Amino acid sequence: MNIHEYQAKELFQKYNVPTPGGSVAGTPEEALAAAQALAGKTIVVKAQIHAGGRGKGVFKNGFKGGVHLADSAEKAADLAKSMLGEVLVTHQTGEAGRLVNKVLIAEGVDIKKEYYLAVLVDRETKAPVIIASTEGGVDIEHVAEHHPEKIIHVGVHPLAGLQPYQIRTLASQLGFKGDQAKQFGVLLSNVYKLFLGADCSQVEINPLVETPEGRILALDAKFNFDDNALYRHPDIVAMRDTTEEDPREVAASEFNLNYIGLDGNIACLVNGAGLAMATMDIIQHFGGTPANFLDVGGGASKDQVIAAFKIILGDANVKGILVNIFGGIMDCDIIAQGIVAAAREVGLSLPLVVRLEGNNVAAGLATLNASGLKITSATTMAEGARKIVAEVKAAA
Ligand code: ADP
Ligand code: MG
């Protein structure tokens, strides 16, 4: 799960990570009030979307930039008006862009230097890693590609935690001395506490800045949370903004289905993540392209199967469906009943191939046959994949 920058600021405040003040606005009037509250300070108006690269982004209406300075509250309200309700396209959003529903009215700070700082989980070491660079503010992927030597990695032992010597070494590698090194140390240890405390999989601050007065502040924030730990954080779950997510994935999560939309035209409905991966591979192997990854889990109910069918059919690209179920824990007949009920409910007209195997498979196949629906059955994965690819091609 992701959150917006203005929500990340609340977490920063909770964990004493210094960040410029500000508040969120959903209308130009709210933006005016928020900007007036920052009287006497420079104001920054920032589009709130779940994607970075806003500063250099362009709105579909031609308005340039999702981050702007304003020298008066009225100017800030004008800028908010230009952004709210408009679609912002950045290098991270793809062509479709993202609709801006809120803007952050933040206190503008003078910047002496921009740095990059992130804490994430390193898949190689299976432990947290801190990534830092003196080349902040810009595209970190660009720095990693062209100047890999400018990216500092500090692995953290998950049990021992972040050590004071690691913080001191990193501060000096970034060129911080004296009071700035001290500020950086406090900031980093608080960011690390936040990373652990909120069960994040990523906290990215780009830029972390030093002001001409020597203050160190987090100016931007991008968070990712471990979805499996969200049950421990109702306050963070409350920050979820489903308008920023793929509606198909939102619907799937309501039924505890693991769904990821893809670009192909053959939908798959499978129990178990490994089998789902293998099913996508075998569809490709026989010349088709999968429309999704969908794992209904080890013990799916009839309602979940019906929900899964509806989500699959909500995708206009889908031209055929392959159901591949191995009934271990699951009863094949329950799946079969779910398929029949779903096919009837949605008036299914697309080719449907079902491969069932395992627990109570005979009853499952009998249920499919007795339904009178046009369902092709298969006994092996290969046969199922071959059949659905052929049926989709024939229909095209
Ligand atoms: P994004 O990464 O989505 O482009 P940022 O929050 O990093 O958005 O903003 C882009 C740039 O705008 C920053 O690198 C910084 O130079 C400037 N900026 C952002 N917030 C402020 C602020 N509060 N005061 C001054 N400049 C800011
Ligand atoms: Mg940024």
Side-chain angles (χ1 to χ4, degrees):
M1 196 192 103
N2 301 325
I3 56 174
H4 288 291
E5 180 192 9
Y6 76 91
Q7 297 165 321
K9 270 178 171 303
E10 292 171 21
L11 288 173
F12 278 164
Q13 271 149 17
K14 194 170 154 196
Y15 282 85
N16 288 318
V17 176
T19 180
S23 52
V24 71
T27 63
E29 294 71 34
E30 284 173 18
L32 183 68
Q36 281 164 345
L38 295 172
K41 298 188 171 114
T42 326
I43 297 154
V44 186
V45 184
K46 306 177 80 172
Q48 298 294 288
I49 54 171
H50 283 186
R54 295 164 301 167
K56 291 190 177 133
V58 179
F59 285 86
K60 284 212 164 151
N61 65 4
F63 187 74
K64 285 209 178 73
V67 177
H68 283 272
L69 286 172
D71 48 19
S72 71
E74 290 69 28
K75 187 83 209 304
D78 274 352
L79 285 163
K81 201 169 169 192
S82 308
M83 297 187 199
L84 289 166
E86 300 297 335
V87 174
L88 177 59
V89 180
T90 80
H91 69 91
Q92 286 187 9
T93 61
E95 266 171 47
R98 293 283 174 88
L99 179 65
V100 177
N101 290 317
K102 291 195 163 89
V103 292
L104 170 68
I105 306 296
E107 181 188 337
V109 297
D110 290 334
I111 299 171
K112 187 170 146 202
K113 182 159 175 52
E114 298 189 312
Y115 300 83
Y116 177 92
L117 179 67
V119 186
L120 34 115
V121 179
D122 185 346
R123 283 163 205 261
E124 294 270 313
T125 59
K126 302 184 181 77
V129 61
I130 292 163
I131 312 255
S133 177
T134 52
E135 308 305 298
V138 286
D139 204 345
I140 198 68
E141 289 83 1
H142 184 86
V143 180
E145 197 180 331
H146 299 279
H147 296 284
E149 75 286 355
K150 294 201 164 154
I151 308 259
I152 308 166
H153 298 248
V154 182
V156 182
H157 191 284
L159 295 180
L162 183 59
Q163 300 295 309
Y165 82 87
Q166 293 182 301
I167 299 177
R168 284 196 299 272
T169 310
L170 182 55
S172 115
Q173 283 172 305
L174 292 173
F176 291 123
K177 293 192 189 79
D179 184 48
Q180 278 69 46
K182 216 181 207 165
Q183 285 184 57
F184 174 77
V186 174
L187 182 142
L188 175 56
S189 61
N190 287 343
V191 167
Y192 191 74
K193 273 184 205 138
L194 166 54
F195 175 83
L196 289 186
D199 287 310
C200 301
S201 50
Q202 179 187 350
V203 176
E204 183 189 60
I205 302 173
N206 188 25
L208 176 81
V209 302
E210 182 181 348
T211 69
E213 311 81 54
R215 283 194 303 153
I216 312 277
L217 296 167
L219 239 60
D220 186 15
K222 195 165 175 230
F223 278 65
N224 258 308
F225 298 93
D226 177 354
D227 291 352
N228 292 316
L230 282 175
Y231 73 96
R232 296 203 282 224
H233 305 285
D235 53 330
I236 292 168
V237 174
M239 294 179 173
R240 184 168 171 198
D241 179 356
T242 50
T243 64
E244 289 279 339
E245 299 173 24
D246 183 329
R248 297 172 298 178
E249 290 174 21
V250 174
S253 71
E254 277 165 28
F255 286 89
N256 278 323
L257 301 165
N258 289 310
Y259 173 93
I260 295 165
L262 300 168
D263 299 330
N265 60 8
I266 298 179
C268 10
L269 187 157
V270 188
N271 65 331
L275 192 59
M277 298 296 283
T279 306
M280 291 171 16
D281 283 348
I282 204 159
I283 288 172
Q284 298 246 18
H285 180 75
F286 286 108
T289 49
N292 64 274
F293 167 95
L294 174 55
D295 168 17
V296 296
S301 67
K302 195 164 129 184
D303 286 345
Q304 276 178 305
V305 175
I306 294 175
F309 259 86
K310 287 189 179 160
I311 291 161
I312 283 174
L313 292 169
D315 178 351
N317 291 331
V318 169
K319 300 291 178 249
I321 303 170
L322 173 60
V323 175
N324 184 16
I325 299 288
F326 179 79
I329 303 168
M330 196 125 168
D331 180 333
C332 288
D333 195 32
I334 299 270
I335 288 283
Q337 288 170 26
I339 294 169
V340 171
R344 287 219 174 95
E345 201 175 320
V346 300
L348 184 70
S349 57
L350 296 175
L352 169 63
V353 174
V354 179
R355 181 256 178 166
L356 285 180
E357 186 55 272
N359 178 16
N360 211 14
V361 65
L365 291 173
T367 299
L368 293 181
N369 286 334
S371 71
L373 293 164
K374 199 180 151 291
I375 298 173
T376 309
S377 64
T379 48
T380 67
M381 266 174 79
E383 185 193 347
R386 214 183 296 121
K387 281 184 168 167
I388 191 64
V389 171
E391 287 195 29
V392 166
K393 284 204 172 130

